[in-house]
Each structure stands twice: as structure tokens, then as C-alpha cells.
Amino acid sequence: MDYLPNIIFTIALFVGIGFFARNVKKLIRNIRLGRDVEVGDNKPQRWKNMAKIALGQTKMVVRPIAGLMHIIVYVGFIIINIEVLEIILDGILGTHRLFAPLGSAYNFLIGSFEILALLVIVAVVIFWIRRNVIKLARFIKPEMKGWPEKDGNMILYIELVLMLLFLTMNAADFSLQQMGAEHYAAAGAFPVSQFIVPLFDGLSIPTIIGIERTAWWLHILGILAFLNYLYYSKHLHILLAFPNTYYGKLKPQGEFDNLEAVTNEVKLMMDPSADPYAAPSDGATEPEKFGASDVMDLNWVQLLNAYTCTECGRCTSECPANQTGKKLSPRKIMMDTRDRLEEVGKNMDANKGEFVPDGKQLLDDYISREELWACTTCNACVQACPVSIDPLSIIMEMRRFLVMEQSAAPLELNNMMGNLENNGAPWPFNQMDRLNWAQEP
């Protein structure tokens, strides 16, 4: 029976990690539904971007208050969970504070963890106040109603509870050390949890052991639960920010990609030796689809972008179209793309890995044409994103579909393109008459 807790812990650990691995596999499958795209160029710059943006949080501190608090939560949560390694080993081996023999180094680590835990609690409370009391404008946009709002608060509650459990566990442990309880040898420094110890005055050793063990179990099980909650949450960016910044766009922001099929067609037209009636050399019978009307038409980097979105709303708050009351919200574009991709994934799960047409698509069913044409292509959303997400690329692909597949551009744009084709300029004047104004008295 002495080994029963170890067995239960090991089973819980493997179940938690196994379920997480299952979700990761599903996540990778969904992302790979996108078209292939070559993003292996300039690896030194990509590694630099990942280190600077994802690890260094350089784009977060553009807004100093939120940026500083995010760094505290990020660094605190990651570093504190280094202790998870000790907890896991203790749970499997049946030991207690396995790393205690490290002596003063161990004391320093535990003390640092506690200070960071306190800072995380303070930051989480401030984040909650900003969302629910002050109600910053970017947190109360229409797309944030319902689950996104609940998810944002849920993450804050989970982080708060995990930090409180960590400090409670340490306080009970410290109290047991002072009382000389068996298996609780003096180890660690407790600069924060020592102030919780008086709450245990008058309690017996078995009761405090029960508190310590309960906090220990809830802390590690909470971490495993949070790990598996990531897939269903905007907090997935904890993991995906690193690959997303690595594969982020390196070209100048104002440079758009040309469609290869159109480029090849133009080259063929410009080649005087080409036979316009010759059959395609590759045997292709159906032309490639222009642009995107559904998530499978986007490339896999754009789908990775959708899953990485933190829903922070910085893109939307910087968007001039949104600021002037237009329907466009770059954050909603990414959220809609992710929601549609999840819907496609569930469709495949229900049909043995095959997608069965459901009569729906990203265009019109999720993202309206009004939103797409409201975009000014200014790249403000791309510049504002703290993890290198590119909402504009999705907007442009969907615009391409509307223009090149459906001829469904707004009247003003169709007139302009017609003038360009006929007159070589956006204006409805014959090329021969362009300079008439210069000769007017």
C-alpha cells in the first residue's frame, strides 16, 4: 500500500501527457491541411526573430505596463514550473524534495520561485481588473463575447490558483519542518510562504501533512489539466509562439506574393517563341484555384498563425478601419480562421480522417465580404502583433478569390481595374488625352 500513491501519480502523469500528445497530433494534422509553402530561407534571421520576439518578448513591451506584467507572468510561470521536475520525480519515486541536497543553491531556487509566484499573483490580479473592472476597449469588442471572454478569465483563475497552491504547499512544508515532522527535513527558503505559516497554528502534524499533500496533489494535477486545456484555449500561444515567430514573414511588409500560375502565364505571353496552343507540359487539366475561400486554400503558416493568436486585440486596436467604425477586426479574422479550422478537424474526426463537404466555408459563413473590403492593407495589424501573426495575408488571399474567381470586387475597384486595362491608368481617360490639361490656358 506504501506504493499506491506512486502508482496513482504515475498513471495520472501518463494519462495527462498522453491526452496532450493526442491533441498535439490533431493540431499538427489540422495545420497541415494548408497548402505547402517554402519558408526555409534565411535561417539565421529566423532564429534571431524567434529569440528576440518569442523568448525576449520585445514586441510586448511596446505597451510598457501590459508588457512588463506579461513578462512577469511568462517568466514566473515557466521558471516556477522548473520545480515540476522535482514534483514529478518525487511522485514517481516516493521521495520528498529530491533536490534538497543541493543545499544553498536549492534554498536560492525555492526562494526565487516564491518571489516570482507572488509577482505572478499581483500581475494576474491586475490583468483581471483591466479585463473586468476597467474594461479596456480591446477586451470588449463584439468578437470577445461568450467563450473568448470566459476563456481569458479562466486562464487568469487557473494561474492564480496554481500559484496559491504552490505557496500553500511550501508554507505547510515549512511548518512541518519547524515542527520536526518525519520525512520533512529542513530544506528550502520561504520568503513569501512563511507569512502563511501562522494560519496553521494549533493544527496537528497529521492535519498539516494533509494540507501539504492536498496542495501538492492539486498543484501537479492542476498543471496537467492546464497543459491539456491549452489546446482549447487562446493560451496555446505559450507553445506556438516559438515556431510562429520562426516562420514569420521576412519580406518587407508592403511586399505581396505573386501568384505563381499568373506569373508563369505572363512569362508565356512575353515569350515570342512559345506556342500558345501547346498543351501544358505537366499534363494539368484543371487550373489552380486563385486565392482562398476556405481554410484548406490557405497555406500552413497562415493556419499556424490562426492557432497562435493570443486574442490580445493589439491588431484590432491599431486597425484604422476598426477605429473608424468599420466592421473589420483583424483579431476576428484570426479567430474565425481558427474556428473554421477546428470545425473542419471535427468533421474529419467524425469521418475517419476524411473531410466530408459540409456546405460551409470560411468566406461568407465566417468572414463577411464587408470585412475583407474594409481593409486598407496598411499592415498596422502585422506590425502590432507581439508574436508575428499576419492577418493581412489571409485577407488578401480571400480578396484574390473574390476578384479572380468570382469577379466580385466592389464596383469602384472593378471600374479602376477596367481603366487600368483599357487606359493604362486608374482614370477613365484615353491615353492620348492624358496631357490635354497641360495645354489648357
Side-chain angles (χ1 to χ4, degrees):
M1 293 297 292
D2 291 342
Y3 296 102
L4 183 59
N6 308 61
I7 295 171
I8 294 174
F9 176 84
T10 304
I11 292 173
L13 180 65
F14 277 96
V15 168
I17 293 176
F19 192 71
F20 174 71
R22 173 178 171 271
N23 281 337
V24 168
K25 184 178 179 181
K26 187 186 300 184
L27 175 70
I28 294 173
R29 180 206 63 188
N30 290 353
I31 291 173
R32 285 180 174 172
L33 293 175
R35 294 184 294 102
D36 193 22
V37 61
E38 180 55 47
V39 285
D41 61 314
N42 202 349
K43 291 183 179 179
Q45 183 61 45
R46 293 186 180 280
W47 283 108
K48 181 179 178 181
N49 287 349
M50 185 177 72
K52 183 174 67 173
I53 300 173
L55 187 63
Q57 306 275 298
T58 52
K59 295 188 75 173
M60 285 298 303
V61 294
V62 172
R63 301 186 181 191
I65 296 177
L68 178 61
M69 290 191 300
H70 187 276
I71 289 175
I72 289 172
V73 173
Y74 169 74
V75 173
F77 196 76
I78 297 300
I79 292 181
I80 288 170
N81 283 314
I82 293 175
E83 191 187 17
V84 172
L85 176 61
E86 182 184 51
I87 292 176
I88 290 174
L89 293 175
D90 283 342
I92 295 173
L93 301 175
T95 55
H96 184 72
R97 293 198 178 270
L98 182 64
F99 298 154
L102 293 175
S104 57
Y106 184 76
N107 295 343
F108 174 78
L109 285 173
I110 298 300
S112 301
F113 295 164
E114 290 212 343
I115 293 172
L116 282 169
L118 178 62
L119 291 174
V120 169
I121 290 172
V122 172
V124 163
V125 170
I126 294 174
F127 276 137
W128 187 89
I129 291 173
R130 283 160 55 90
R131 280 179 173 271
N132 299 281
V133 179
I134 300 176
K135 295 186 177 180
L136 296 182
R138 60 192 172 103
F139 294 136
I140 57 174
K141 295 287 185 179
E143 67 267 20
M144 296 303 292
K145 300 299 181 184
W147 168 248
E149 181 181 9
K150 293 177 182 177
D151 178 42
N153 284 324
M154 182 71 70
I155 291 166
L156 296 178
Y157 298 144
I158 292 173
E159 291 178 344
L160 179 64
V161 169
L162 288 177
M163 294 302 103
L164 290 175
L165 286 171
F166 170 73
L167 292 175
T168 301
M169 176 185 73
N170 279 357
D173 196 298
F174 184 40
S175 179
L176 291 166
Q177 291 178 26
Q178 292 178 318
M179 299 170 73
E182 189 177 3
H183 304 306
Y184 288 86
F190 307 97
V192 177
S193 61
Q194 64 177 327
F195 295 103
I196 305 176
V197 171
L199 297 176
F200 305 138
D201 288 347
L203 298 180
S204 65
I205 288 179
T207 300
I208 299 177
I209 289 176
I211 294 173
E212 189 272 336
R213 288 289 85 192
T214 299
W216 185 93
W217 275 98
L218 290 177
H219 182 66
I220 187 60
L221 292 178
I223 289 173
L224 290 174
F226 182 70
L227 181 68
N228 284 285
Y229 178 68
L230 291 181
Y231 177 78
Y232 308 97
S233 163
K234 75 186 186 72
H235 236 49
L236 194 57
H237 74 274
I238 289 178
L239 305 177
L240 296 186
F242 293 91
N244 198 76
T245 51
Y246 178 84
Y247 291 116
K249 183 178 179 181
L250 297 182
K251 294 180 181 179
Q253 289 184 359
E255 181 179 344
F256 295 110
D257 293 328
N258 293 320
L259 289 174
E260 185 178 0
V262 175
T263 300
N264 291 338
E265 190 75 19
V266 172
K267 287 180 179 178
L268 181 66
M269 293 169 60
M270 301 296 291
D271 184 359
S273 63
D275 181 2
Y277 301 104
S281 58
D282 58 0
T285 58
E286 185 175 346
E288 182 181 354
K289 183 177 182 178
F290 295 126
S293 62
D294 209 347
V295 289
M296 290 80 79
D297 304 322
L298 299 171
N299 66 55
W300 66 265
V301 174
Q302 292 168 321
L303 300 186
L304 174 63
N305 282 182
Y307 272 122
T308 308
C309 180
T310 70
E311 299 176 12
C312 66
R314 293 189 180 205
C315 55
T316 294
S317 67
E318 296 288 340
C319 175
N322 188 273
Q323 290 177 5
T324 54
K326 303 293 193 302
K327 195 174 180 181
L328 173 65
S329 167
R331 172 174 56 190
K332 180 180 177 294
I333 297 293
M334 303 315 300
M335 293 169 68
D336 286 343
T337 303
R338 181 180 61 211
D339 290 346
R340 172 57 180 164
L341 186 54
E342 274 294 291
E343 185 178 50
V344 169
K346 291 176 181 177
N347 181 308
M348 296 177 68
D349 290 338
N351 294 284
K352 300 180 180 179
E354 295 293 328
F355 176 69
V356 175
D358 56 2
K360 299 171 68 176
Q361 61 177 4
L362 183 61
L363 178 64
D364 294 329
D365 291 305
Y366 284 84
I367 299 173
S368 68
R369 304 180 183 210
E370 180 184 351
E371 293 172 77
L372 296 175
W373 292 115
C375 178
T376 66
T377 67
C378 69
N379 272 290
C381 56
V382 182
Q383 177 65 32
C385 181
V387 287
S388 301
I389 292 171
D390 187 359
L392 179 58
S393 67
I394 295 177
I395 293 172
M396 293 304 297
E397 286 298 324
M398 297 183 75
R399 278 184 173 183
R400 274 176 171 166
F401 174 82
L402 290 172
V403 172
M404 303 184 74
E405 291 280 348
Q406 295 190 341
S407 298
L411 177 62
E412 297 83 359
L413 188 55
N414 277 330
N415 288 339
M416 182 198 73
M417 289 188 290
N419 290 330
L420 284 172
E421 183 178 1
N422 297 322
N423 307 320
W427 303 282
F429 303 110
N430 187 287
Q431 294 187 45
M432 301 297 295
D433 299 331
R434 273 201 214 167
L435 288 178
N436 289 351
W437 64 271
Q439 301 173 19
E440 294 178 0

